[in-house]
mmCIF file of all heavy atoms in Angstrom:
data_model
loop_
_atom_site.group_PDB
_atom_site.id
_atom_site.type_symbol
_atom_site.label_atom_id
_atom_site.label_comp_id
_atom_site.label_asym_id
_atom_site.label_seq_id
_atom_site.Cartn_x
_atom_site.Cartn_y
_atom_site.Cartn_z
ATOM 1 N N GLN A 69 27.533 34.493 -38.931
ATOM 2 C CA GLN A 69 27.100 35.946 -38.813
ATOM 3 C C GLN A 69 26.048 36.130 -37.752
ATOM 4 O O GLN A 69 25.891 37.278 -37.160
ATOM 5 C CB GLN A 69 26.618 36.409 -40.164
ATOM 6 C CG GLN A 69 27.748 36.447 -41.256
ATOM 7 C CD GLN A 69 27.256 37.211 -42.490
ATOM 8 O OE1 GLN A 69 26.115 37.287 -42.798
ATOM 9 N NE2 GLN A 69 28.245 37.418 -43.355
ATOM 10 N N LEU A 70 25.204 35.139 -37.503
ATOM 11 C CA LEU A 70 24.058 35.245 -36.589
ATOM 12 C C LEU A 70 24.430 34.745 -35.303
ATOM 13 O O LEU A 70 23.620 34.611 -34.344
ATOM 14 C CB LEU A 70 22.797 34.638 -37.112
ATOM 15 C CG LEU A 70 22.350 35.070 -38.506
ATOM 16 C CD1 LEU A 70 21.081 34.267 -38.971
ATOM 17 C CD2 LEU A 70 22.006 36.588 -38.429
ATOM 18 N N ASP A 71 25.746 34.386 -35.115
ATOM 19 C CA ASP A 71 26.242 33.810 -33.712
ATOM 20 C C ASP A 71 25.434 32.603 -33.347
ATOM 21 O O ASP A 71 25.055 32.464 -32.138
ATOM 22 C CB ASP A 71 26.190 34.925 -32.727
ATOM 23 C CG ASP A 71 27.037 34.675 -31.489
ATOM 24 O OD1 ASP A 71 27.924 33.835 -31.602
ATOM 25 O OD2 ASP A 71 26.742 35.156 -30.453
ATOM 26 N N LEU A 72 25.004 31.793 -34.298
ATOM 27 C CA LEU A 72 24.339 30.487 -33.982
ATOM 28 C C LEU A 72 25.360 29.439 -33.557
ATOM 29 O O LEU A 72 26.485 29.498 -34.059
ATOM 30 C CB LEU A 72 23.501 30.079 -35.170
ATOM 31 C CG LEU A 72 22.207 30.473 -35.446
ATOM 32 C CD1 LEU A 72 21.686 30.217 -36.817
ATOM 33 C CD2 LEU A 72 21.208 29.917 -34.412
ATOM 34 N N PRO A 73 25.024 28.650 -32.639
ATOM 35 C CA PRO A 73 25.957 27.517 -32.376
ATOM 36 C C PRO A 73 26.122 26.660 -33.530
ATOM 37 O O PRO A 73 25.161 26.454 -34.419
ATOM 38 C CB PRO A 73 25.336 26.779 -31.234
ATOM 39 C CG PRO A 73 23.870 27.124 -31.416
ATOM 40 C CD PRO A 73 23.803 28.577 -31.868
ATOM 41 N N GLU A 74 27.303 26.085 -33.737
ATOM 42 C CA GLU A 74 27.462 25.125 -34.808
ATOM 43 C C GLU A 74 26.414 23.949 -34.678
ATOM 44 O O GLU A 74 26.238 23.493 -33.488
ATOM 45 C CB GLU A 74 28.912 24.395 -34.877
ATOM 46 C CG GLU A 74 29.952 25.563 -35.385
ATOM 47 C CD GLU A 74 29.597 25.810 -36.887
ATOM 48 O OE1 GLU A 74 29.395 24.864 -37.691
ATOM 49 O OE2 GLU A 74 29.676 26.961 -37.282
ATOM 50 N N PRO A 75 25.884 23.385 -35.743
ATOM 51 C CA PRO A 75 24.921 22.371 -35.622
ATOM 52 C C PRO A 75 25.560 21.145 -34.829
ATOM 53 O O PRO A 75 26.737 20.724 -35.095
ATOM 54 C CB PRO A 75 24.547 21.946 -37.025
ATOM 55 C CG PRO A 75 24.843 23.230 -37.783
ATOM 56 C CD PRO A 75 26.072 23.746 -37.098
ATOM 57 N N ASP A 76 24.732 20.546 -33.894
ATOM 58 C CA ASP A 76 25.206 19.273 -33.310
ATOM 59 C C ASP A 76 25.365 18.150 -34.363
ATOM 60 O O ASP A 76 26.054 17.155 -34.181
ATOM 61 C CB ASP A 76 24.392 18.898 -32.111
ATOM 62 C CG ASP A 76 24.319 20.035 -31.022
ATOM 63 O OD1 ASP A 76 25.282 19.919 -30.211
ATOM 64 O OD2 ASP A 76 23.440 20.767 -31.059
ATOM 65 N N ILE A 77 24.507 18.191 -35.387
ATOM 66 C CA ILE A 77 24.560 17.220 -36.428
ATOM 67 C C ILE A 77 24.098 17.737 -37.642
ATOM 68 O O ILE A 77 23.109 18.640 -37.737
ATOM 69 C CB ILE A 77 23.656 15.910 -36.084
ATOM 70 C CG1 ILE A 77 23.844 14.830 -36.946
ATOM 71 C CG2 ILE A 77 22.190 16.323 -35.857
ATOM 72 C CD1 ILE A 77 23.313 13.475 -36.511
ATOM 73 N N ASN A 78 24.723 17.412 -38.802
ATOM 74 C CA ASN A 78 24.343 17.790 -40.173
ATOM 75 C C ASN A 78 24.075 16.581 -40.821
ATOM 76 O O ASN A 78 24.843 15.712 -41.045
ATOM 77 C CB ASN A 78 25.478 18.658 -40.847
ATOM 78 C CG ASN A 78 25.066 19.264 -42.104
ATOM 79 O OD1 ASN A 78 24.266 18.626 -42.926
ATOM 80 N ND2 ASN A 78 25.555 20.443 -42.364
ATOM 81 N N LEU A 79 22.816 16.391 -41.261
ATOM 82 C CA LEU A 79 22.370 15.144 -41.987
ATOM 83 C C LEU A 79 22.825 15.101 -43.522
ATOM 84 O O LEU A 79 22.762 13.958 -44.031
ATOM 85 C CB LEU A 79 20.890 15.061 -41.877
ATOM 86 C CG LEU A 79 20.166 14.962 -40.635
ATOM 87 C CD1 LEU A 79 18.703 14.923 -40.743
ATOM 88 C CD2 LEU A 79 20.774 13.824 -39.812
ATOM 89 N N GLY A 80 23.308 16.217 -43.984
ATOM 90 C CA GLY A 80 23.827 16.112 -45.332
ATOM 91 C C GLY A 80 22.837 15.753 -46.373
ATOM 92 O O GLY A 80 23.179 15.144 -47.406
ATOM 93 N N VAL A 81 21.573 16.189 -46.276
ATOM 94 C CA VAL A 81 20.586 15.628 -47.284
ATOM 95 C C VAL A 81 20.758 16.171 -48.581
ATOM 96 O O VAL A 81 20.767 15.479 -49.554
ATOM 97 C CB VAL A 81 19.208 16.167 -46.767
ATOM 98 C CG1 VAL A 81 18.111 15.994 -47.833
ATOM 99 C CG2 VAL A 81 18.791 15.392 -45.476
ATOM 100 N N GLY A 82 21.177 17.402 -48.752
ATOM 101 C CA GLY A 82 21.514 17.944 -50.133
ATOM 102 C C GLY A 82 20.241 18.169 -50.954
ATOM 103 O O GLY A 82 19.130 18.084 -50.490
ATOM 104 N N SER A 83 20.567 18.315 -52.267
ATOM 105 C CA SER A 83 19.381 18.593 -53.187
ATOM 106 C C SER A 83 18.753 17.287 -53.625
ATOM 107 O O SER A 83 19.181 16.221 -53.294
ATOM 108 C CB SER A 83 20.008 19.436 -54.477
ATOM 109 O OG SER A 83 20.919 18.571 -55.145
ATOM 110 N N GLY A 84 17.746 17.463 -54.442
ATOM 111 C CA GLY A 84 17.051 16.337 -54.944
ATOM 112 C C GLY A 84 15.505 16.661 -55.107
ATOM 113 O O GLY A 84 15.093 17.795 -54.802
ATOM 114 N N SER A 85 14.680 15.736 -55.573
ATOM 115 C CA SER A 85 13.359 15.943 -55.664
ATOM 116 C C SER A 85 12.676 16.216 -54.224
ATOM 117 O O SER A 85 13.326 15.851 -53.255
ATOM 118 C CB SER A 85 12.568 14.777 -56.284
ATOM 119 O OG SER A 85 12.629 13.589 -55.465
ATOM 120 N N HIS A 86 11.485 16.676 -54.273
ATOM 121 C CA HIS A 86 10.875 16.956 -52.898
ATOM 122 C C HIS A 86 10.680 15.624 -52.146
ATOM 123 O O HIS A 86 10.994 15.560 -50.914
ATOM 124 C CB HIS A 86 9.405 17.477 -53.155
ATOM 125 C CG HIS A 86 9.418 19.027 -53.521
ATOM 126 N ND1 HIS A 86 9.684 20.047 -52.554
ATOM 127 C CD2 HIS A 86 9.312 19.631 -54.712
ATOM 128 C CE1 HIS A 86 9.760 21.166 -53.253
ATOM 129 N NE2 HIS A 86 9.424 20.928 -54.459
ATOM 130 N N ALA A 87 10.301 14.676 -52.834
ATOM 131 C CA ALA A 87 10.064 13.292 -52.150
ATOM 132 C C ALA A 87 11.456 12.776 -51.638
ATOM 133 O O ALA A 87 11.583 12.321 -50.503
ATOM 134 C CB ALA A 87 9.480 12.241 -53.155
ATOM 135 N N ARG A 88 12.502 12.774 -52.446
ATOM 136 C CA ARG A 88 13.828 12.289 -52.033
ATOM 137 C C ARG A 88 14.397 13.195 -50.891
ATOM 138 O O ARG A 88 14.853 12.541 -49.907
ATOM 139 C CB ARG A 88 14.737 12.358 -53.223
ATOM 140 C CG ARG A 88 16.206 11.869 -52.899
ATOM 141 C CD ARG A 88 16.262 10.539 -52.552
ATOM 142 N NE ARG A 88 17.651 10.129 -52.284
ATOM 143 C CZ ARG A 88 18.550 9.674 -53.258
ATOM 144 N NH1 ARG A 88 18.152 9.636 -54.523
ATOM 145 N NH2 ARG A 88 19.828 9.353 -52.983
ATOM 146 N N GLN A 89 14.279 14.454 -50.933
ATOM 147 C CA GLN A 89 14.803 15.303 -49.981
ATOM 148 C C GLN A 89 14.080 15.062 -48.613
ATOM 149 O O GLN A 89 14.709 14.952 -47.503
ATOM 150 C CB GLN A 89 14.728 16.786 -50.383
ATOM 151 C CG GLN A 89 15.569 17.729 -49.654
ATOM 152 C CD GLN A 89 15.516 19.161 -50.299
ATOM 153 O OE1 GLN A 89 14.417 19.710 -50.339
ATOM 154 N NE2 GLN A 89 16.697 19.587 -50.806
ATOM 155 N N THR A 90 12.796 15.027 -48.626
ATOM 156 C CA THR A 90 11.967 14.834 -47.476
ATOM 157 C C THR A 90 12.211 13.431 -46.831
ATOM 158 O O THR A 90 12.352 13.276 -45.597
ATOM 159 C CB THR A 90 10.433 15.028 -47.888
ATOM 160 O OG1 THR A 90 10.318 16.277 -48.407
ATOM 161 C CG2 THR A 90 9.574 14.948 -46.522
ATOM 162 N N ALA A 91 12.234 12.457 -47.713
ATOM 163 C CA ALA A 91 12.487 11.041 -47.303
ATOM 164 C C ALA A 91 13.814 10.877 -46.645
ATOM 165 O O ALA A 91 14.029 10.317 -45.468
ATOM 166 C CB ALA A 91 12.382 10.084 -48.386
ATOM 167 N N ASP A 92 14.912 11.522 -47.208
ATOM 168 C CA ASP A 92 16.239 11.345 -46.599
ATOM 169 C C ASP A 92 16.313 12.103 -45.220
ATOM 170 O O ASP A 92 16.902 11.560 -44.334
ATOM 171 C CB ASP A 92 17.287 11.974 -47.570
ATOM 172 C CG ASP A 92 17.533 11.134 -48.779
ATOM 173 O OD1 ASP A 92 17.099 9.951 -48.850
ATOM 174 O OD2 ASP A 92 18.255 11.558 -49.685
ATOM 175 N N ALA A 93 15.630 13.153 -45.084
ATOM 176 C CA ALA A 93 15.667 13.923 -43.906
ATOM 177 C C ALA A 93 14.879 13.154 -42.845
ATOM 178 O O ALA A 93 15.222 13.093 -41.661
ATOM 179 C CB ALA A 93 15.004 15.349 -44.127
ATOM 180 N N MET A 94 13.705 12.519 -43.216
ATOM 181 C CA MET A 94 12.886 11.802 -42.254
ATOM 182 C C MET A 94 13.786 10.598 -41.753
ATOM 183 O O MET A 94 13.729 10.280 -40.580
ATOM 184 C CB MET A 94 11.626 11.332 -42.962
ATOM 185 C CG MET A 94 10.624 12.426 -43.167
ATOM 186 S SD MET A 94 9.041 11.863 -43.929
ATOM 187 C CE MET A 94 8.455 10.871 -42.459
ATOM 188 N N THR A 95 14.412 9.915 -42.626
ATOM 189 C CA THR A 95 15.289 8.714 -42.192
ATOM 190 C C THR A 95 16.322 9.148 -41.200
ATOM 191 O O THR A 95 16.407 8.482 -40.178
ATOM 192 C CB THR A 95 15.887 8.166 -43.556
ATOM 193 O OG1 THR A 95 14.930 7.745 -44.401
ATOM 194 C CG2 THR A 95 16.715 7.002 -43.010
ATOM 195 N N GLY A 96 17.064 10.219 -41.390
ATOM 196 C CA GLY A 96 18.020 10.621 -40.500
ATOM 197 C C GLY A 96 17.488 11.154 -39.178
ATOM 198 O O GLY A 96 18.023 10.917 -38.091
ATOM 199 N N LEU A 97 16.402 11.907 -39.366
ATOM 200 C CA LEU A 97 15.735 12.483 -38.146
ATOM 201 C C LEU A 97 15.086 11.449 -37.211
ATOM 202 O O LEU A 97 15.101 11.428 -35.977
ATOM 203 C CB LEU A 97 14.735 13.544 -38.521
ATOM 204 C CG LEU A 97 15.269 14.841 -39.063
ATOM 205 C CD1 LEU A 97 14.167 15.650 -39.735
ATOM 206 C CD2 LEU A 97 16.075 15.666 -37.978
ATOM 207 N N GLU A 98 14.572 10.410 -37.893
ATOM 208 C CA GLU A 98 13.864 9.374 -37.089
ATOM 209 C C GLU A 98 14.908 8.586 -36.190
ATOM 210 O O GLU A 98 14.671 8.381 -34.988
ATOM 211 C CB GLU A 98 13.189 8.346 -38.011
ATOM 212 C CG GLU A 98 12.493 7.260 -37.186
ATOM 213 C CD GLU A 98 11.856 6.207 -38.200
ATOM 214 O OE1 GLU A 98 12.499 5.624 -39.076
ATOM 215 O OE2 GLU A 98 10.649 5.919 -38.000
ATOM 216 N N ALA A 99 15.991 8.296 -36.716
ATOM 217 C CA ALA A 99 17.194 7.645 -35.861
ATOM 218 C C ALA A 99 17.568 8.579 -34.765
ATOM 219 O O ALA A 99 17.724 8.092 -33.634
ATOM 220 C CB ALA A 99 18.225 7.194 -36.788
ATOM 221 N N LEU A 100 17.723 9.789 -35.118
ATOM 222 C CA LEU A 100 18.199 10.759 -34.057
ATOM 223 C C LEU A 100 17.206 10.933 -32.936
ATOM 224 O O LEU A 100 17.559 10.884 -31.774
ATOM 225 C CB LEU A 100 18.529 12.148 -34.747
ATOM 226 C CG LEU A 100 18.888 13.272 -33.823
ATOM 227 C CD1 LEU A 100 20.227 13.006 -33.113
ATOM 228 C CD2 LEU A 100 18.915 14.530 -34.641
ATOM 229 N N MET A 101 15.884 11.151 -33.292
ATOM 230 C CA MET A 101 14.839 11.391 -32.369
ATOM 231 C C MET A 101 14.587 10.192 -31.515
ATOM 232 O O MET A 101 14.274 10.219 -30.338
ATOM 233 C CB MET A 101 13.590 11.908 -32.968
ATOM 234 C CG MET A 101 13.720 13.206 -33.704
ATOM 235 S SD MET A 101 12.104 13.850 -34.371
ATOM 236 C CE MET A 101 12.894 15.258 -35.277
ATOM 237 N N ALA A 102 14.588 9.003 -32.107
ATOM 238 C CA ALA A 102 14.311 7.658 -31.411
ATOM 239 C C ALA A 102 15.353 7.464 -30.309
ATOM 240 O O ALA A 102 15.137 7.029 -29.286
ATOM 241 C CB ALA A 102 14.218 6.588 -32.354
#
């Protein structure tokens, strides 16, 4: 609806506790950014 490009990558973090969600996102993002 907002004419955004499709994401180049979807980490698929999903739901979970704050710690789990943040940690899973950090793990995926670290590999990508490095």
